[in-house]
Amino acid sequence: MLKSCMHILKPLFVTLVALVLASCQPSTPLLSTPELDQSELATLVMGTLQAMQSTDEATQPSATVAPDILPQSLYFLSERSGDTQVWRVGRDGLNLEQMSGGNQAVLDFDVNPSSGAVVTISDTRMRYLDNTGEVINTWKVEEKDLVEGLPAFGRQFSNPRISPDGRWLAYALNGVRLMDLESGESLLVLQNEWQPSASGQLIPQRLFFPESWSPDGSKLLVSVAYQEEGGLAFLNLENQELVELQASTIICCQATWDSGSDAIYVASPYLGLLDSGLWQYSAENGAETILIPSSGEDATVNLVGWPYSELGKLRFFYTQTAGIPEGDSPLFMMEARLTDADNPQALRGDAFQIAEVLWADDGELAVILPILQGESGPLVVAFADGRPIEVLIDDAWNLRWGP
C-alpha cells in the first residue's frame, strides 16, 4: 500500500479499503478534455528534480529569491534522513527543514495552524515540538488509561488532530481523547467498545478515531470501525453528542468539511467492494444527500475523489468510465455548483492518478501526490486556473499545511 495511506489507523475497516486498492489498474476516462500522458508528467518531474538537485539536494536556500509557489508552508512525512520524520518545505517549494528527530520513526503527526508547532506519534510516545523542532512536552501511554487484555493496536497513540485555534489536541488511545495543549490535561470523550471472548481476549465492537475538526472548532469528525465495516460520525463538542452519518452505503474514502462547518462531503474514486460517488451530510443531523451517484442511467460510472467546498462551490477530482473500471483511473480537477454537482466542468486539461491531495484553503490550487508507473511520485502543484503544474520535492506523503 502507498506511503500516503500508512498514517491511517482504522483497524478492520482499513483492511476492506486495502482490498479495493490492491485490485487497481488504469482505466480510460470518457471526458472530452485532453489527458496529460503519464510519461510526459514523468519527464517533467525528472527535469525539475535534476534542476533542484543543483541546489545541494534541495536542502539549502536558493541563491536567488524564488517566487512563492505555495500559499503556506507544507509539512509532510519523509524518509530522506533515513527513517520516517516530519519535514517542512517553504512557500518557495525549495527550502527544506527537518522538524522531528530521535531514534524512533514518526507514524503520524499534525501541525498547529496558529504556531507551526508539531505533534508527532511514535508507537507509545507522543511529543509536542515547537516550530523549530524543540520538544515542548512528551507523553507516554499510561497503564492506568488502558483496559487489561487490550490488543496491541488499542494500546497505542494514533490520529493526532489539532483544533483550528491551536489549543486542543484530539487523538486516539482506546477511544477519542481531547487534550488541552496548554495544560497537558486530557479527557476521554469516546471510549472504544470491546466484547470479551471465551479465552479472555477482547474483541472490538466499535472503535473510534478522530479524523478532522470542523473549521469553527465546534465539531470533530470521527471514523467508526465495526467488525466487518466502518462509518463516519461527528462529535458535537458543545453537548458531547455523537451523530452518525446516515449513509446509504459504506462511507469511503475522502471526507472534508464545508468551510462554513455546516456540512461534510465524502467522495470515493473506487468501485468494487465500495461505491464510488460524492455525498453530502448535514452537520446538524447527519442526513445524506447524494450529489453524484455511483453510476448513471447509461451504465457509466462516476469516480470522485478529494472534495473541496466553500460557499456553494464544489471542487473535486473526477472522471467517468464506461462500465466498472478495472482499477485506479486518472482523474481531472473539476468544479460544480452545489445545486448541479453531477454536471461538473473541467478546470484543467490534464489528469492524474492520485495517491493523496491537499487543497489550499481558498481552493485555488491542490498539492498532489501522484502515482507514476505504479509508485508514488514527487509532489506536484496543480492550479485551478489552468497554469502549468509545478513539481515540488520527492519522497513526501501525509501532507499538512503550516502557517
Side-chain angles (χ1 to χ4, degrees), residues 126-157:
M126 185 163 62
R127 297 194 302 168
Y128 192 34
L129 315 175
D130 68 18
N131 61 7
T132 69
E134 293 295 322
V135 178
I136 300 173
N137 211 338
T138 300
W139 301 276
K140 296 181 180 180
V141 174
E142 301 287 346
E143 289 299 320
K144 64 181 179 62
D145 293 328
L146 303 177
V147 177
E148 186 177 352
L150 282 179
F153 66 80
R155 309 175 69 85
Q156 298 174 346
F157 293 117

Side-chain angles (χ1 to χ4, degrees), residues 85-260:
Q85 298 295 335
V86 180
W87 286 72
R88 175 174 63 196
V89 65
R91 298 185 184 193
D92 62 3
L94 295 174
N95 293 307
L96 287 169
E97 298 175 88
Q98 184 172 340
M99 300 301 299
S100 67
N103 55 9
Q104 286 188 315
V106 173
L107 302 177
D108 201 357
F109 79 103
D110 201 18
V111 181
N112 189 320
S114 62
S115 68
V118 176
V119 170
T120 67
I121 285 178
S122 302
D123 195 17
T124 58
R125 186 186 303 270
M126 185 163 62
R127 297 194 302 168
Y128 192 34
L129 315 175
D130 68 18
N131 61 7
T132 69
E134 293 295 322
V135 178
I136 300 173
N137 211 338
T138 300
W139 301 276
K140 296 181 180 180
V141 174
E142 301 287 346
E143 289 299 320
K144 64 181 179 62
D145 293 328
L146 303 177
V147 177
E148 186 177 352
L150 282 179
F153 66 80
R155 309 175 69 85
Q156 298 174 346
F157 293 117
S158 72
N159 294 53
R161 302 293 184 264
I162 300 177
S163 63
D165 63 4
R167 178 176 177 181
W168 298 95
L169 170 67
Y171 63 98
L173 177 61
N174 192 26
V176 175
R177 299 170 189 263
L178 290 181
M179 177 186 291
D180 185 335
L181 285 172
E182 294 180 1
S183 67
E185 297 180 359
S186 66
L187 174 69
L188 180 65
V189 294
L190 283 174
Q191 186 165 16
N192 289 343
E193 299 173 9
W194 307 86
Q195 181 69 38
S197 66
S199 64
Q201 293 183 329
L202 296 179
I203 307 300
Q205 302 299 302
R206 288 206 306 173
L207 306 179
F208 303 102
F209 303 87
E211 292 299 328
S212 62
W213 292 81
S214 61
D216 65 5
S218 67
K219 299 179 179 69
L220 182 66
L221 186 66
V222 175
S223 62
V224 187
Y226 303 95
Q227 283 191 335
E228 296 182 354
E229 61 182 52
L232 287 171
F234 62 85
L235 180 65
N236 189 325
L237 299 175
E238 196 170 303
N239 58 16
Q240 300 294 298
E241 180 186 10
L242 182 69
V243 179
E244 298 205 35
L245 304 191
Q246 301 171 27
S248 55
T249 183
I250 296 177
I251 307 178
C252 184
C253 292
Q254 298 98 31
T256 188
W257 289 91
D258 179 78
S259 62

